[in-house]
């Protein structure tokens, strides 16, 4: 499904399908785990031209960022929000973020150099602020959109950095049952992981690049996980690794809710799919998006309850931490 559009999407708002194709082809860039990477030089040329242009593009006002663990429904939410009449939606525009900060690439999509899982306010420079405003502003100008929605789950560890670029940013913290999320991550990596020129490309980056950064930069700073790091760093089962990523991400989201309650909004994937109109109405109110009946109708038509996955046997070292995180998020264990 190119650019996450199908026949229902096209029929509902044909112009939105064109916007998504423009986003996909010219602004987002192709990650290392996807095909069509031949287009990346074109994407980078366009973005660099926008960043260096003297033209003032559409100003970025109250941009919306979808955060969480990958495979938790962030793409589903992003596609639904993309149908809103005011929204221009970018699905993990890693090419843009790589040009904003060259050390953000934890996967190895465009660089094998040093990378940072966390980016803080101290990492942001005036030049980066200008570059971000230009590239995202060019995107809004080209697509005729008023508000930016950027779905990039890993930004949950870079909120201070993003707030330095866009002080009025809004953050959506999407939560999903840990069992479901971990199953989805494991299945994705098994299904789409490939060997390319002797390198392993899967959910954990090029030759486990993402996993190694996660170990070195996140697990070592977690009050509970750092005490079992000798066990955790040897995890090779996708489900166990996914449980670690889910715990770290959910704890980070809960931290954001506590520290930035006015700019962070938590949504449960289960509520989004079971009560889409009510859930999206409250979300739009938080994001200051106007009422749009076509958008709501599309959500009601496309969002469906997803049957929960069965619990799996957790590694005994991670089980207590996993269950505690589930409880803090309001899930029964």
């Amino acid at each position: 499904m190119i650019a996450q559009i199908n026949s229902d999407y096209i029929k509902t708002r044909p112009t939105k399908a064109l916007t998504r194709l423009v986003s996909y082809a010219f602004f987002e860039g192709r990650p290392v785990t996807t095909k069509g990477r031949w287009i990346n030089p074109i994407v980078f040329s366009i973005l660099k031209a926008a960043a260096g242009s003297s033209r003032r593009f559409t100003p970025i006002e109250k941009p919306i960022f979808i955060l969480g663990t990958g495979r938790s429904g962030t793409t589903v939410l992003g596609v639904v929000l993309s149908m809103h009449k005011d929204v221009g939606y970018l699905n993990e525009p890693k090419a843009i973020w790589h040009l904003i900060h060259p050390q953000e690439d934890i996967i190895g999509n465009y660089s094998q150099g040093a990378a940072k899982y966390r980016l803080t306010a101290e990492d942001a420079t005036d030049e980066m602020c200008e570059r971000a405003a230009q590239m995202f502003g060019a995107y809004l100008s080209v697509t005729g959109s008023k508000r930016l929605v950027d779905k990039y789950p890993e930004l949950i560890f870079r909120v201070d950095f993003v707030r330095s670029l866009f002080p009025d940013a809004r953050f959506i913290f999407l939560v999903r049952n840990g069992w479901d999320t971990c199953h989805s991550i494991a299945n994705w990596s098994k299904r789409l992981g490939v060997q390319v020129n002797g390198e392993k490309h899967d959910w954990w980056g090029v030759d486990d690049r993402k996993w190694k950064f996660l170990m070195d930069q996140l697990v070592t700073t977690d009050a509970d996980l750092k005490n079992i790091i000798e066990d955790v760093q040897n995890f090779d089962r996708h489900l166990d690794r996914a449980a670690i990523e889910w715990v770290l991400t959910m704890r980070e989201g809960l931290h954001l809710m506590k520290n930035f309650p006015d700019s962070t909004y938590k949504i449960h994937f289960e509520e989004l799919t079971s009560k889409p109109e009510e859930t999206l109405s409250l979300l739009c109110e938080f994001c200051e998006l106007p009422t749009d009946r076509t958008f709501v109708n599309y959500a009601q038509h496309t969002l469906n309850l997803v049957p929960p996955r069965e619990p799996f046997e957790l590694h005994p070292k991670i089980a207590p931490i996993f269950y505690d995180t589930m409880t803090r998020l309001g899930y029964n264990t």
Side-chain angles (χ1 to χ4, degrees):
M1 190 166 60
I2 296 178
Q4 302 91 37
I5 59 177
N6 56 23
S7 58
D8 287 338
Y9 194 97
I10 296 170
K11 290 176 184 176
T12 303
R13 271 196 168 127
T15 56
K16 285 292 182 178
L18 179 60
T19 298
R20 281 299 305 131
L21 288 172
V22 169
S23 307
Y24 179 82
F26 301 116
F27 287 89
E28 293 172 357
R30 302 275 68 74
V32 70
T33 53
T34 62
K35 298 178 181 179
R37 286 174 56 80
W38 59 267
I39 202 172
N40 284 338
I42 299 173
V43 173
F44 278 108
S45 294
I46 292 170
L47 294 176
K48 288 177 181 178
S53 174
S54 60
R55 176 184 171 184
R56 295 294 91 182
F57 296 107
T58 301
I60 309 298
E61 297 180 356
K62 299 176 182 176
I64 302 161
F65 297 92
I66 301 175
L67 316 176
T69 311
R71 308 303 299 172
S72 63
T74 53
T75 299
V76 171
L77 176 58
V79 170
V80 167
L81 282 173
S82 76
M83 187 55 69
H84 192 285
K85 61 183 179 180
D86 286 354
V87 164
Y89 167 60
L90 286 165
N91 180 56
E92 300 191 21
K94 296 180 180 181
I96 291 178
W97 285 105
H98 186 61
L99 289 178
I100 293 172
H101 197 301
Q103 288 188 310
E104 72 81 39
D105 188 1
I106 58 172
I107 298 292
N109 294 306
Y110 312 115
S111 170
Q112 291 298 310
K116 295 182 178 182
Y117 227 110
R118 289 189 183 278
L119 291 174
T120 67
E122 288 70 32
D123 290 301
T125 65
D126 291 342
E127 182 182 358
M128 290 178 188
C129 292
E130 177 65 17
R131 207 179 302 152
Q134 283 293 95
M135 287 188 286
F136 284 118
Y139 170 70
L140 292 185
S141 295
V142 168
T143 59
S145 305
K146 296 179 181 178
R147 297 287 298 280
L148 171 72
V149 171
D150 177 342
K151 189 247 4 186
Y152 189 178
E154 283 84 358
L155 290 181
I156 197 167
F157 297 104
R158 301 164 180 177
V159 166
D160 286 338
F161 177 75
V162 176
R163 282 167 57 89
S164 295
L165 305 180
F166 305 110
D168 59 353
R170 300 288 187 269
F171 301 96
I172 303 172
F173 172 38
L174 184 63
V175 173
R176 189 177 185 184
N177 184 301
W179 305 116
D180 296 346
T181 304
C182 292
H183 270 298
S184 187
I185 288 174
N187 290 338
W188 187 99
S189 207
K190 292 175 183 175
R191 180 168 48 91
L192 298 178
V194 295
Q195 291 283 335
V196 179
N197 297 325
E199 296 177 336
K200 180 178 66 173
H201 295 181
D202 63 10
W203 185 263
W204 310 108
V206 175
D207 287 337
D208 277 353
R209 175 182 167 92
K210 173 183 172 181
W211 177 250
K212 293 171 184 175
F213 285 135
L214 187 147
M215 286 292 103
D216 294 343
Q217 300 178 19
L218 298 184
V219 170
T220 54
T221 63
D222 183 273
D224 296 318
L225 292 176
K226 68 180 181 181
N227 295 323
I228 58 171
I229 190 168
E230 290 185 4
D231 297 283
V232 170
Q233 64 187 1
N234 292 319
F235 284 178
D236 56 8
R237 191 174 68 143
H238 289 302
L239 284 171
D240 291 328
R241 288 185 171 193
I244 295 295
E245 182 179 8
W246 182 83
V247 165
L248 286 165
T249 306
M250 294 300 99
R251 287 185 167 198
E252 190 73 15
L254 290 170
H255 174 79
L256 293 177
M257 292 295 300
K258 179 181 179 180
N259 288 279
F260 304 111
D262 294 335
S263 58
T264 308
Y265 189 84
K266 178 163 67 72
I267 286 184
H268 282 259
F269 177 76
E270 295 82 3
E271 293 181 354
L272 174 66
T273 53
S274 63
K275 300 182 291 185
E277 182 169 9
E278 177 184 341
T279 303
L280 290 171
S281 176
L282 293 171
L283 176 61
C284 287
E285 183 178 341
F286 169 79
C287 294
E288 299 180 52
L289 288 170
T291 301
D292 181 353
R293 195 65 233 175
T294 300
F295 152 73
V296 173
N297 290 342
Y298 175 77
Q300 289 181 307
H301 177 68
T302 57
L303 292 174
N304 300 296
L305 281 172
V306 180
R309 304 293 295 272
E310 290 294 324
F312 53 89
E313 184 178 355
L314 285 160
H315 189 285
K317 292 289 186 178
I318 186 64
I321 304 170
F322 184 93
Y323 289 133
D324 174 69
T325 306
M326 287 274 281
T327 299
R328 291 173 63 187
L329 291 169
Y331 292 106
N332 295 323
T333 57

